[in-house]
Amino acid sequence: MTLVIALDLMGGDNAPEVAVEGAAIARARFPDLRFLLFGDEAKVRPHLAKHPDIAAMEFVHTSEFVAGDAKPSLALRQGRQSSMRLAINAVKDGSAAAAVSAGNTGALMAMAKFVLKTLPGIDRPAIAGPMPTSDKTAVVLDLGANVDCGVEHLVQFAVMGHVFARIVTGVADPKIGLLNIGTEDLKGSDEIRSAAAILRSSSLAGAFYGFVEGTDVTKGVVDVVVTDGFTGNVALKIAEGTASMYSSFLRTAFRSDWRAKLGYLLAKPALDRVRTRLDPRRYNGAMLLGLNGVVVKSHGGTDAVGFGHAIGAAVELVRAGANERIIEEMTRMAAQDSSAPAAAVG
């Protein structure tokens, strides 16, 4: 079955080259995939010339794009003809099944929420993405869309994260944890403790593990980590920075003398396996969960391989019926959890 994905070719640090190359990589993986391309023709065509199959797909020219440092409110008002907005519009009017962009995160969220609106029972969308742990892949949300979250928002994130994890990780019944400063019941803010109480008495009670600390995330204690966008974004950036620092230390150590270089040659197969396991490009592609349409955010600094993975994430979410399954879960909670706040269950 042919699937059409709308691509914002002008978003990201190395646009449009990375987006075009990433599209070619994704199509090699999904031969029946087609793209609806949005970007500045003069800048895009030289890169499309290297990939005739991508160049033959529908292309919509626009000279407008959303700058990486643009304020979301300004982008929403002035970016109506930007490549980002047009890609989202394509999802709204049914021309594409999903949109992928490596552009400004705040602007993407603002535009997507304005154009697509939220799913029934969802007050705020959340950014959800996969994160490697010691023995598996976990889903973390929110990664930056909502700085302040109420009780009902955390409960909604748990529902959406549970569905998202089933699709991304393949785990039949993912365990959900609320990120907290301790695992004791008395720890944390009123909001997080109230959210835990609701989840313990909800239809997700069997999947709710309880509170988890930062170290539990990398241990893989749970499959879904729920937190507010401020904490989630800080945790993500610290994890990325730590991985980068550790890699730098290893490179420096292995170059220090001939013994270290010899040791590197002996250890290279094992190090390559670790590098592949932790390669951030494999986990690129965060979904804006809770929208009435599939929108995937690629890391702005990724390369073509990473952008290809973001497109792959969009394909998997569409084919798995992510939004339909979220609606089903919310409806089920509304039917079963009469004690939960109305805002939390729609």
Side-chain angles (χ1 to χ4, degrees):
M1 177 181 175
T2 300
L3 190 65
V4 179
I5 305 293
L7 299 183
D8 167 19
L9 300 180
M10 307 308 294
D13 299 344
N14 300 296
E17 180 180 6
V18 162
V20 174
E21 296 288 339
I25 292 172
R27 195 157 191 271
R29 179 181 172 193
F30 304 101
D32 58 345
L33 193 60
R34 294 192 63 80
F35 299 112
L36 183 52
L37 310 169
F38 298 92
D40 188 324
E41 187 167 12
K43 296 178 180 178
V44 172
R45 284 298 177 189
H47 302 291
L48 287 176
K50 303 174 185 177
H51 303 283
D53 58 329
I54 306 298
M57 297 181 185
E58 185 175 353
F59 181 87
V60 178
H61 166 72
T62 176
S63 59
E64 296 184 23
F65 65 94
V66 177
D69 58 353
K71 292 184 177 180
S73 57
L74 189 64
L76 185 60
R77 291 196 304 270
Q78 299 181 355
R80 297 179 182 178
Q81 293 301 313
S82 66
S83 54
M84 178 185 290
R85 177 64 176 269
L86 295 178
I88 296 170
N89 288 349
V91 178
K92 173 67 174 179
D93 64 28
S95 302
V100 180
S101 173
N104 183 310
T105 303
L108 184 67
M109 176 61 80
M111 287 183 178
K113 185 177 181 181
F114 177 79
V115 173
L116 300 174
K117 305 300 187 287
T118 56
L119 293 171
I122 302 297
D123 294 329
R124 297 182 185 178
I127 300 176
M131 180 180 290
T133 70
S134 59
D135 61 348
K136 58 187 175 183
T137 298
V139 167
V140 183
L141 74 165
D142 179 21
L143 292 176
N146 306 278
V147 174
D148 297 310
C149 295
V151 176
E152 67 277 11
H153 305 130
L154 294 172
V155 174
Q156 291 169 14
F157 294 171
V159 174
M160 295 190 294
H162 191 257
V163 173
F164 185 70
R166 292 206 301 269
I167 297 170
V168 172
T169 68
V171 177
D173 189 21
K175 292 296 181 183
I176 304 167
L178 285 172
L179 188 59
N180 202 353
I181 58 173
T183 58
E184 298 85 356
D185 289 342
L186 296 177
K187 291 288 184 69
S189 63
D190 291 340
E191 288 78 12
I192 197 170
R193 287 186 282 113
S194 296
I198 291 174
L199 289 171
R200 288 192 184 101
S201 62
S202 74
S203 56
L204 288 177
F208 182 55
Y209 174 85
F211 296 140
V212 292
E213 296 181 283
T215 53
D216 295 327
V217 176
T218 52
K219 288 178 183 177
V221 172
V222 294
D223 305 289
V224 182
V225 180
V226 176
T227 185
D228 61 84
F230 181 90
T231 306
N233 190 266
V234 170
L236 175 65
K237 297 298 173 57
I238 289 176
E240 291 176 344
T242 301
S244 177
M245 179 185 66
Y246 185 70
S247 296
S248 177
F249 285 167
L250 280 178
R251 285 194 297 270
T252 300
F254 280 124
R255 293 170 181 169
S256 59
D257 55 40
W258 69 268
R259 295 181 183 84
K261 293 177 181 178
L262 177 61
Y264 170 75
L265 291 176
L266 295 173
K268 188 176 184 302
L271 291 172
D272 286 343
R273 287 194 294 271
V274 173
R275 182 164 49 245
T276 299
R277 174 77 174 85
L278 298 178
D279 188 347
R281 299 176 301 177
R282 293 183 58 204
Y283 306 94
N284 188 43
M287 182 180 177
L288 276 55
L289 282 178
L291 294 172
N292 192 24
V294 175
V295 178
V296 171
K297 171 67 174 73
S298 167
H299 196 294
T302 194
D303 61 8
V305 174
F307 196 84
H309 273 284
I311 295 173
V315 172
E316 291 172 357
L317 290 165
V318 171
R319 289 182 172 171
N323 283 343
E324 292 79 5
R325 290 165 70 174
I326 289 173
I327 293 173
E328 290 173 3
E329 193 73 56
M330 296 298 291
T331 302
R332 188 162 65 92
M333 284 190 69
Q336 296 182 10
D337 307 330
S338 58
S339 61
V345 296

